[in-house]
Amino acid sequence: NAGVTQTPKFQVLKTGQSMTLQCAQDMNHEYMSWYRQDPGMGLRLIHYSVGAGITDQGEVPNGYNVSRSTTEDFPLRLLSAAPSQTSVYFCASTGGENTEAFFGQGTRLTVV
Amino acid sequence: AQSVTQPDIHITVSEGASLELRCNYSYGATPYLFWYVQSPGQGLQLLLKYFSGDTLVQGIKGFEAEFKRSQSSFNLRKPSVHWSDAAEYFCAVDTYGGSQGNLIFGKGTKLSVKP
C-alpha cells in the first residue's frame, strides 16, 4: 500500500517556467490538500479538494492552480514560477471524519 | 481566525530527560488535535491525535498528549527522551471535524537531544 505518492522529489525551475507537481493516493480518500512548508512558518494550506470535481482555496493560493478529475489524483500547477514559490510542497489525503491526514514525502522546489 | 501557537521554536534536552512541547490553539469549539513529527528531509508522521473522549492520549514512540479545554492546550510529553527523537514537531488542528481534511499548523518546535 503506497499511501500518498508525490513526484518529483526535487525540482529546479527558472523564473517564469511552468510545471505540475503530481500527487496520487491509493486509499480511496475523499479529501486531498496541498501545503507548502517554509522555514519558521510551519505548513500552510494552498488548495484543497473535498471530492472529484470540487476544489477550493486555502490560506496561500496565489500562483497555484489545482483540479481534481479523479479521486486518486490531485495535481498542483505553477503557471509562472517565481522565486517566492521556492519551498517544500506536501500533499495530504484524509478519509473523512475521525481520521487523520496522511502526507506524501514532499517535493522540494527551487525557483531561480 | 483560527490559529495554532507553538511558543518554543527550539528546545534542547539531554538524553533520558523528560520533554514537554507546548501547543495552544485559538478556536471557539473543540477541534480535532494532532501532533506530527518530521525528521530532516522527510515527510510528516502522525504521533497522536485527539478527537473526543479521554483527554490523555497515547501515541507512538512513547509520546502522550493531554487536551486541556480550559487552557486551549494540547501539550506533548515524553518521560524519557532518546537521541532518535531529535526532529521537528508540529501541532495541528482540524476545525472542520474531519469533514474537509484541512489542517492549521503551528510553526513547529525543533528538538535537539544532547548525549
Side-chain angles (χ1 to χ4, degrees):
Chain A
N1 193 344
V4 180
T5 302
Q6 291 184 236
T7 55
K9 288 187 169 48
F10 302 94
Q11 183 71 49
V12 178
L13 286 180
K14 294 182 179 179
T15 297
Q17 285 185 317
S18 63
M19 81 159 295
T20 299
L21 279 62
Q22 301 292 344
C23 176
Q25 54 95 3
D26 61 1
M27 297 173 282
N28 200 32
H29 284 173
E30 259 186 286
Y31 311 117
M32 297 185 74
S33 308
W34 277 102
Y35 299 84
R36 60 177 289 172
Q37 182 180 27
D38 302 293
M41 298 295 293
L43 280 78
R44 293 179 292 168
L45 183 66
I46 304 172
H47 285 285
Y48 65 97
S49 169
V50 298
I54 307 170
T55 64
D56 206 345
Q57 297 180 351
E59 180 185 357
V60 288
N62 292 341
Y64 307 95
N65 280 352
V66 292
S67 60
R68 183 109 178 262
S69 56
T70 67
T71 299
E72 294 78 19
D73 300 300
F74 190 43
L76 178 72
R77 297 183 185 84
L78 285 71
L79 299 180
S80 179
S84 61
Q85 293 178 305
T86 293
S87 188
V88 181
Y89 292 85
F90 287 98
C91 178
S93 73
T94 309
E97 290 190 30
N98 295 329
T99 64
E100 68 270 21
F102 292 84
F103 285 83
Q105 288 299 300
T107 296
R108 184 173 295 274
L109 175 68
T110 302
V111 183
V112 297
Chain B
Q2 298 90 357
S3 65
V4 177
T5 301
Q6 293 181 246
D8 304 304
I9 297 173
H10 190 186
I11 284 181
T12 300
V13 301
S14 297
E15 191 168 16
S18 63
L19 171 70
E20 182 170 28
L21 301 182
R22 295 181 290 166
C23 173
N24 293 93
Y25 65 88
S26 171
Y27 182 58
T30 299
Y32 287 5
L33 296 156
F34 306 87
W35 275 100
Y36 285 87
V37 61
Q38 184 182 36
S39 298
Q42 301 297 311
L44 281 80
Q45 180 182 22
L46 180 71
L47 282 176
L48 44 77
K49 60 191 177 187
Y50 174 78
F51 294 152
S52 64
D54 192 346
T55 56
L56 184 64
V57 294
Q58 303 297 321
I60 62 171
K61 305 184 179 185
F63 285 91
E64 67 178 25
E66 184 172 14
F67 167 58
K68 293 186 178 180
R69 187 189 310 275
S70 62
Q71 299 176 17
S72 297
S73 69
F74 190 56
N75 294 349
L76 181 71
R77 301 194 294 247
K78 187 170 185 179
S80 178
V81 169
H82 188 262
W83 65 266
S84 60
D85 294 324
E88 191 156 21
Y89 293 79
F90 293 95
C91 180
V93 304
D94 179 346
T95 60
Y96 292 94
S99 64
Q100 292 190 9
N102 298 337
L103 298 175
I104 301 170
F105 283 86
K107 294 185 178 181
T109 297
K110 184 177 180 180
L111 173 66
S112 297
V113 180
K114 289 190 300 185

